[in-house]
Amino acid sequence: MNIHPMWEKYPELAKELNRTLTLMDKSVNLKNKEVETAVMSMIHSGGKLLRPAYQLLFSQFGEQRDANKSVALAAAIELLHTATLIHDDIVDDADLRRGLPTIRSQFGNSTAVYAGDYLFVSCFKLLSDYSSSLKSIQLNSRSMEKILSGELGQMDNRYNLEMTIDQYLENISGKTAELFSLSCFVGAYESGTSERFAKNCSTIGENIGLAFQIIDDVLDYTQSPEQIGKPVLEDVRQGIYSLPLLYALEEGWDTLLPYLKKGDALTDRETEKIYALVHSFGGVEKAQLLAEKYTQQALKKIKKLPDTAPQAKEELLTITQAILQRTN
Ligand code: IPE
Ligand code: IPE
Ligand code: MG
Ligand code: MG
């Protein structure tokens, strides 16, 4: 099983992430071969496995850590993440994911919907087999609700020029940060830490997730599709106004407005003009600074974690910093 090369520097974690991916692969068994092929090709398309990595690292802080259980719960979260990506690409009408054609563009929307559905089911099957109580299942269901609510908040605000930065933050807190937060909570809690400790881990995850999505939105304004393996220049045209644009609007409302009023009728050249303006009005830089602020908050809390798992603590610090500097 091949996992993302970013983990080479962390051999023990890489071993468990490999086991996580193997378990995800093994949990797929469908009569419908087309849907099975779709699910398999997504599982093996080289995702970064960040959420399971956090989950596995936080599980090191519990005294009752059981590696098999930690790996299974990490696989469950990544199955959930994978499902959301397949469905997200349908909603966003995206052609590229992880540098490859999306499931919807390879197999069509129906197969893609079922592939995502199957992954949701697989997530709950693993969870119910391995959780020590109903707690993780309850939390997972609540997280799914929050992810959906973030996505719906984003949809409700499409082409909304009055959208505020607080609304943006609320949406990304649901659609992205929630899953990071859940990974960190479940990792700790299911290996026997107190609920109080796990909640602190969950806050760390929330900060990491917010920084992660802001950086993702910054990359949309700074990278090529080849570099990030996903489409760029699509958010604005689809009416998704992310942080760099919202900051730029604070400075350059009058200049940007005539373009944004065109809605989905923007030409490529006009879209590129918007991107240039977002840079020149300082939107990219300001967004980067906010991502840094959330990362610093996470790092500060990680540094205060007990020294019972020194290696995990060190790796949490390095990985969290590396996410801020990522370019893909
Ligand atoms: C993509 O997440 C979706 C966002 C929250 C921006 P990742 O960048 O973690 O996706 P993969 O799994 O590594 O492709
Ligand atoms: C990511 O949505 C969050 C979910 C998948 C729920 P985006 O649409 O912002 O992410 P990318 O850019 O397609 O990965
Ligand atoms: Mg998308
Ligand atoms: Mg989306």
Side-chain angles (χ1 to χ4, degrees):
M1 218 63 58
N2 279 332
I3 58 162
H4 199 282
M6 70 181 280
W7 304 115
E8 276 163 15
K9 283 178 271 174
Y10 314 93
E12 283 167 44
L13 178 60
K15 222 156 118 195
E16 291 199 334
L17 286 173
N18 245 302
R19 290 188 54 208
T20 305
L21 195 62
T22 307
L23 185 59
M24 287 168 68
D25 176 279
K26 283 213 183 105
S27 65
V28 179
N29 180 15
L30 270 153
K31 266 198 212 138
N32 183 304
K33 293 303 155 196
E34 164 120 340
V35 177
E36 189 176 81
T37 309
V39 169
M40 281 300 194
S41 76
M42 188 65 183
I43 289 178
H44 294 288
S45 63
K48 294 184 287 296
L49 300 172
L50 282 173
R51 296 149 192 83
Y54 277 110
Q55 186 157 341
L56 291 165
L57 288 169
F58 276 104
S59 72
Q60 301 282 353
F61 291 90
E63 281 175 12
Q64 293 141 34
R65 183 179 204 265
D66 165 353
N68 287 339
K69 179 177 164 187
S70 294
V71 163
L73 296 175
I77 296 262
E78 186 66 9
L79 288 167
L80 175 55
H81 164 65
T82 312
T84 68
L85 292 185
I86 296 180
H87 283 180
D88 179 67
D89 287 333
I90 300 171
V91 174
D92 294 346
D93 213 11
D95 290 327
L96 202 65
R97 164 78 58 195
R98 300 171 175 165
L100 299 166
T102 50
I103 298 303
R104 75 145 205 110
S105 62
Q106 282 186 64
F107 299 89
N109 277 353
S110 310
T111 298
V113 170
Y114 292 134
D117 286 350
Y118 182 75
L119 285 162
F120 281 123
V121 172
S122 308
C123 160
F124 279 97
K125 278 204 301 199
L126 267 184
L127 273 180
S128 50
D129 287 346
Y130 285 92
S131 298
S132 48
S133 65
L134 269 180
K135 180 100 182 157
S136 302
I137 300 177
Q138 275 166 350
L139 284 171
N140 256 62
S141 325
R142 267 182 226 147
S143 289
M144 279 171 77
E145 197 177 5
K146 287 185 192 158
I147 294 170
L148 176 65
S149 140
E151 282 285 321
L152 294 179
Q154 177 176 283
M155 186 169 79
D156 291 343
N157 276 300
R158 282 178 62 205
Y159 300 108
N160 176 12
L161 288 160
E162 306 295 324
M163 183 179 162
T164 63
I165 288 176
D166 278 350
Q167 278 168 321
Y168 165 84
L169 291 173
E170 196 183 319
N171 293 342
I172 69 164
S173 157
K175 79 166 190 173
T176 305
E178 179 58 30
L179 207 44
F180 279 89
S181 168
L182 178 74
S183 304
C184 300
F185 183 95
V186 170
Y189 188 76
E190 287 285 344
S191 59
T193 72
S194 69
E195 184 153 355
R196 187 156 168 255
F197 181 88
K199 278 198 176 137
N200 182 42
C201 302
S202 156
T203 309
I204 296 173
E206 163 87 7
N207 282 313
I208 294 170
L210 290 170
F212 182 77
Q213 182 62 51
I214 294 173
I215 291 297
D216 204 73
D217 290 334
V218 164
L219 294 176
D220 196 47
Y221 283 85
T222 55
Q223 305 291 323
S224 66
E226 291 74 30
Q227 270 164 314
I228 58 170
K230 308 194 275 200
V232 296
L233 304 169
E234 280 303 320
D235 276 1
V236 171
R237 221 181 332 227
Q238 294 183 1
I240 296 168
Y241 301 156
S242 64
L243 193 58
L245 177 64
L246 295 175
Y247 273 137
L249 276 170
E250 288 181 344
E251 302 296 322
W253 174 265
D254 292 339
T255 320
L256 281 157
L257 197 62
Y259 292 103
L260 295 177
K261 277 198 165 154
K262 298 200 162 185
D264 63 357
L266 282 167
T267 63
D268 285 352
R269 190 184 284 242
E270 287 162 344
T271 314
E272 273 159 28
K273 180 72 189 167
I274 294 178
Y275 273 56
L277 288 169
V278 167
H279 279 265
S280 61
F281 285 119
V284 170
E285 207 176 313
K286 272 194 188 161
Q288 243 151 359
L289 283 174
L290 190 61
E292 210 162 301
K293 202 177 121 203
Y294 285 121
T295 304
Q296 289 310 329
Q297 279 174 17
L299 292 174
K300 206 167 116 193
K301 278 184 175 288
I302 295 171
K303 283 185 192 141
K304 284 191 193 147
L305 289 171
D307 287 318
T308 46
Q311 190 176 333
K313 195 168 157 178
E314 195 50 49
E315 294 184 355
L316 281 170
L317 289 172
T318 334
I319 294 163
T320 305
Q321 242 149 359
I323 289 183
L324 190 69
Q325 274 130 29
R326 78 194 170 103
T327 52
N328 61 26

